[in-house]
Amino acid sequence: MQILHVVGARPNFMKVAPVHRALASKNGVAQMLVHTGQHYDVNMSDVFFQQLSIPAPDVNLGVGSGSHAKQTAEIMIGFESLVNERRPDLVLVYGDVNSTVAAALVCAKLGIRIGHVEAGLRAFDRTMPEEINRLVTDQLADLLFTPSEDGDQNLEREGVAKEKIFLVGNVMIDTLVRLLPVAKQTKVEGVPEEFILVTLHRPSNVDDPASLRELLDALASISKKLPVVFPVHPRTRQRIRDLGLTLPAGDRLVLLDPRPYIDFLALQTRSRAVVTDSGGIQEETTYLGVPCITTRENTERPVTVTQGTNVLVGHDIKALHRELERVLNGDRKPHRIPPLWDGKASERIADIITK
Ligand code: UD1
């Protein structure tokens, strides 16, 4: 059986790593890895391949940045000729980025079977580009691997046949479980003993000048209480530059380039709290038991709120301050690790595919 994996953006890399590894241990499976080139900076891509021991991509489509239409279209054009040439038995796509939906569209029209890893997540917010990518990909996929039960319910509600849906757990946690011992031994230079960790890159936070300004002011004010460590996503850095804003960087507001996986995991384990708008970080903090405050109105990962350490504060800066105050005072909500987030999700996927 020939399986082709498609990845393109940073959050895909921690998901493909364990699935590729699990399939490599099966007899009769040949694998090929395609990188679309959606993320291309060394610290957004190459360093993840090294740290997660992912084999070098067999093909890089080199699409780079662009509008959603341009990026998606270029991936489709490049990927279509590749699929026609190689005719894989199954294409695996990951998460909700533009590379995911582009590859799914190509395969659906060429009659190639699609497996979607991290299927069924819904924020019920169609202003998010990722939500459109999730909806379309799940309608086209033949095998839908979900991380939690809400995913199964969403898919069934949307009319996806039950036989196609497999509740396998969270593959991102597989990578975390494997590398946590390494992260615990890793020293990250230039960060204080105690700190709050911040990441921001969602269009809803950083593309709107007023929101971005408000959030940056909030970070400056939070850093007066406890130092803030902020690895800045390229999109966010670009927006800050476009607006001519400057951040009062210094000892208490430490600005870093995006961190490699192991360093970022080390930072999460050591932080007093995390403030983020990322998807994956809501899950990782839930696993680690670190309080997470999410600056979004909704989440496609509701188990991180109902079972985990996550709290949504939307764009309400007062609520952000209030929640931070609460967790810094040691008032922690009860939390647990969701079922099947046990480091074995990829093995379950590999078993299902090979059967
Ligand atoms: C993408 C995903 C998002 C994911 C995020 C994680 C989509 C629709 N969005 O958003 O779901 O959470 O990745 O990082 O697919 N850039 C660089 N260097 C890079 C990559 C990007 O400078 O290596 C710049 C680009 O010039 C672009 C901006 O960052 O202007 C955004 O990149 P893009 O891939 O469009 O989306 P992300 O915001 O990263």
Side-chain angles (χ1 to χ4, degrees):
M1 176 170 25
Q2 157 95 333
I3 297 178
L4 191 158
H5 307 258
V6 183
V7 292
R10 183 172 61 177
N12 292 157
F13 307 140
M14 15 328 206
K15 295 169 196 163
V16 75
V19 179
H20 192 285
R21 186 180 285 262
L23 283 165
S25 70
K26 299 282 183 191
N27 288 330
V29 174
Q31 303 190 72
M32 182 179 164
L33 185 61
V34 176
H35 190 322
T36 64
Q38 178 176 347
H39 282 178
Y40 45 84
D41 284 353
V42 170
N43 60 18
M44 294 293 282
S45 178
D46 300 16
V47 73
F48 286 83
F49 277 73
Q50 290 154 18
Q51 289 203 336
L52 305 179
S53 315
I54 309 170
D58 297 278
V59 177
N60 190 318
L61 300 176
V63 297
S65 305
S67 69
H68 283 271
K70 184 169 180 291
Q71 197 174 54
T72 309
E74 282 183 5
I75 297 168
M76 288 181 69
I77 294 167
F79 190 59
E80 185 183 52
S81 30
L82 187 76
V83 171
N84 272 329
E85 201 183 293
R86 310 283 173 118
R87 300 304 297 185
D89 300 299
L90 176 71
V91 169
L92 287 179
V93 297
Y94 295 83
D96 57 15
V97 301
N98 287 340
S99 303
T100 313
V101 72
L105 277 164
V106 167
C107 292
K109 297 200 176 182
L110 293 178
I112 303 282
R113 285 163 66 81
I114 305 159
H116 184 202
V117 177
E118 200 188 80
L121 298 187
R122 296 291 179 270
F124 303 101
D125 174 1
R126 292 195 182 192
T127 65
M128 281 181 87
E130 293 84 356
E131 184 82 350
I132 309 295
N133 296 345
R134 294 179 198 121
L135 283 159
V136 174
T137 305
D138 284 339
Q139 280 301 317
L140 301 177
D142 301 283
L143 299 171
L144 297 100
F145 301 110
T146 59
S148 45
E149 221 169 305
D150 52 290
D152 297 46
Q153 290 158 8
N154 293 333
L155 293 172
E156 283 177 39
R157 197 179 332 100
E158 288 167 18
V160 176
K162 246 188 162 131
E163 317 76 80
K164 295 189 193 173
I165 307 171
F166 301 90
L167 175 58
V168 291
N170 193 324
V171 294
M172 187 138 167
I173 299 301
D174 295 5
T175 294
L176 189 156
V177 167
R178 188 169 73 85
L179 291 172
L180 190 55
V182 184
K184 284 189 172 157
Q185 301 299 318
T186 300
K187 233 181 116 45
V188 185
E189 298 296 332
V191 298
E193 192 64 22
E194 278 212 296
F195 58 90
I196 295 164
L197 181 64
V198 175
T199 80
L200 295 170
H201 77 280
R202 288 272 157 227
S204 63
N205 280 322
V206 305
D207 286 3
D208 173 47
S211 292
L212 180 57
R213 232 180 235 121
E214 226 180 17
L215 278 165
L216 297 180
D217 286 347
L219 296 188
S221 133
I222 291 166
S223 70
K224 290 185 188 133
K225 274 187 233 151
L226 197 68
V228 167
V229 174
F230 182 14
V232 189
H233 189 281
R235 165 191 282 277
T236 310
R237 199 174 280 283
Q238 185 63 43
R239 295 297 179 267
I240 293 174
R241 211 177 294 132
D242 293 349
L243 289 173
L245 298 174
T246 44
L247 274 163
D251 289 355
R252 299 194 65 87
L253 179 49
V254 183
L255 302 181
L256 304 171
D257 282 334
R259 300 323 300 163
Y261 180 80
I262 292 170
D263 294 37
F264 192 77
L265 184 53
L267 288 173
Q268 289 190 80
T269 59
R270 281 162 219 170
S271 62
R272 288 280 303 276
V274 175
V275 176
T276 191
D277 56 10
S278 150
I281 296 169
Q282 296 172 54
E283 300 179 329
E284 289 169 341
T285 46
T286 273
Y287 185 87
L288 296 169
V290 173
C292 180
I293 302 173
T294 299
T295 54
R296 289 176 43 190
E297 301 292 343
N298 48 51
T299 178
E300 61 289 337
R301 293 160 161 95
V303 291
T304 62
V305 176
T306 54
Q307 301 180 33
T309 58
N310 191 19
V311 174
L312 303 184
V313 294
H315 297 112
D316 182 346
I317 300 292
K318 279 201 189 117
L320 167 61
H321 283 294
R322 202 169 49 236
E323 276 305 320
L324 253 182
E325 195 65 34
R326 197 176 59 75
V327 297
L328 295 181
N329 284 336
D331 177 7
R332 310 269 300 267
K333 67 191 268 243
H335 57 86
R336 64 175 178 121
I337 297 174
L340 300 179
W341 291 23
D342 57 359
K344 296 187 164 53
S346 310
E347 289 170 26
R348 290 187 275 271
I349 291 177
D351 285 345
I352 292 163
I353 288 175
T354 49
K355 269 181 209 148

